[in-house]
Amino acid sequence: MAKNRAIRGATLNRESARFNLPATEADGDWLDDRLLVDGELPPLRTTVTVEKPRTIITRNQSPDIAFDRSINPYRGCEHGCIYCFARPSHAYHDLSPGLDFETRLFAKPDAPALLREELSKPNYTCRAIAFGTNTDPYQPIESEWRITRGCIEVLSECDHPITITTKSDRVTRDIDLLAPMAAKGLAAVMISVTSLDPRIAMTLEPRAAAPAKRLAAIRKLSDAGIPTYVSLSPIVPQITGVPSA
């Protein structure tokens, strides 16, 4: 039986087969006895690779999505949520949607400069830019890279609207930027809460902020005058939902 590495969400790191790349499959019997033979799995270190995109705003024309543009400062997410729909996107780099997604991350340090360049184009039409649509803009590496903050600084200078979705209380670090924007009707934050039970949260979202920290962040953002919403998702029957009577 597969066993989680310390504080990681995925239990496996299968090679991506999305693009029919050559792959190998370990013998099932050996996998069953691996822990007995090799002992506990060593902890995985998070690595960050610089990605240099030519543009930073992603646009969509889906009638099912409330926004038509978004920015993701990072690819991959160290929060390691086991249910994350963005995991398969790592296949575009020939990496696994499993452990690779939460340990082999990509950062886009040129994002603020690219954003400024795109906003300066004569034909640019202003609409709210959504952050946190694919991976969390306030995942742990934001503490060091500060790319999300850099983008907010650009948007603040331009009086450009922004929405943020995150599981991290790290967003409160940027209240000094978001509160003045909110006073102009330009900023809103949504905090995702899956469960108030820390044991469930640790299992589903091993490196995301604890539920108590998220609740504290909601209070702090709201007290600062920033429109703050709660996303109760995902609801997993019999785990995060209320059992039926």
Side-chain angles (χ1 to χ4, degrees):
M1 179 178 178
K3 185 174 181 179
N4 290 47
R5 291 177 185 259
I7 321 180
R8 295 294 182 181
T11 60
L12 299 173
N13 205 40
R14 295 188 184 277
E15 295 171 304
S16 170
R18 171 165 290 200
F19 302 110
N20 296 317
L21 297 171
T24 58
E25 185 72 25
D27 178 77
D29 292 338
W30 176 83
L31 287 175
D32 291 340
D33 293 332
R34 182 176 58 188
L35 288 177
L36 295 176
V37 175
D38 297 334
E40 292 291 334
L41 297 172
L44 281 175
R45 291 185 177 181
T46 299
T47 64
V48 182
T49 300
V50 170
E51 181 176 338
K52 290 188 172 293
R54 286 179 288 184
T55 60
I56 197 61
I57 299 177
T58 300
R59 290 175 169 80
N60 75 83
Q61 297 179 335
S62 172
D64 301 320
I65 300 177
F67 55 87
D68 70 349
R69 64 198 66 186
S70 60
I71 290 177
N72 287 285
Y74 306 101
R75 189 188 299 272
C77 187
E78 197 174 3
H79 282 167
C81 304
I82 62 175
Y83 51 77
C84 183
F85 69 88
R87 284 182 176 273
S89 64
H90 246 42
Y92 294 115
H93 286 273
D94 297 343
L95 296 174
S96 171
L99 287 168
D100 282 347
F101 178 79
E102 52 194 275
T103 60
R104 299 176 67 176
L105 311 180
F106 295 82
K108 307 171 187 177
D110 293 339
L114 291 171
L115 175 58
R116 188 182 298 278
E117 180 181 330
E118 292 191 53
L119 297 184
S120 300
K121 292 181 179 179
N123 61 345
Y124 179 79
T125 302
C126 180
R127 291 193 183 93
I129 296 179
F131 282 68
T133 59
N134 202 50
T135 58
D136 202 303
Y138 286 101
Q139 59 179 288
I141 60 173
E142 167 64 13
S143 294
E144 176 182 353
W145 288 82
R146 298 171 68 87
I147 301 172
T148 298
R149 181 175 175 86
C151 290
I152 297 175
E153 288 173 342
V154 173
L155 296 174
S156 176
E157 292 173 18
C158 298
D159 280 343
H160 193 292
I162 178 177
T163 64
I164 297 171
T165 301
T166 181
K167 289 184 174 70
S168 177
D169 61 327
R170 200 169 283 107
V171 64
T172 60
R173 177 203 63 187
D174 294 336
I175 284 179
D176 62 313
L177 295 172
L178 295 171
M181 294 179 72
K184 301 176 184 178
L186 297 175
V189 176
M190 180 175 291
I191 303 291
S192 177
V193 179
T194 305
S195 173
L196 296 181
D197 186 330
R199 296 170 300 176
I200 294 176
M202 175 63 75
T203 301
L204 298 179
E205 308 154 344
R207 293 203 173 194
K213 288 187 175 182
R214 296 186 218 183
L215 295 179
I218 292 168
R219 169 64 68 184
K220 194 170 183 179
L221 291 165
S222 180
D223 287 347
I226 300 168
T228 308
Y229 305 87
V230 177
S231 173
L232 298 176
S233 64
I235 295 177
V236 184
Q238 305 304 318
I239 297 178
T240 65
V242 178
S244 57

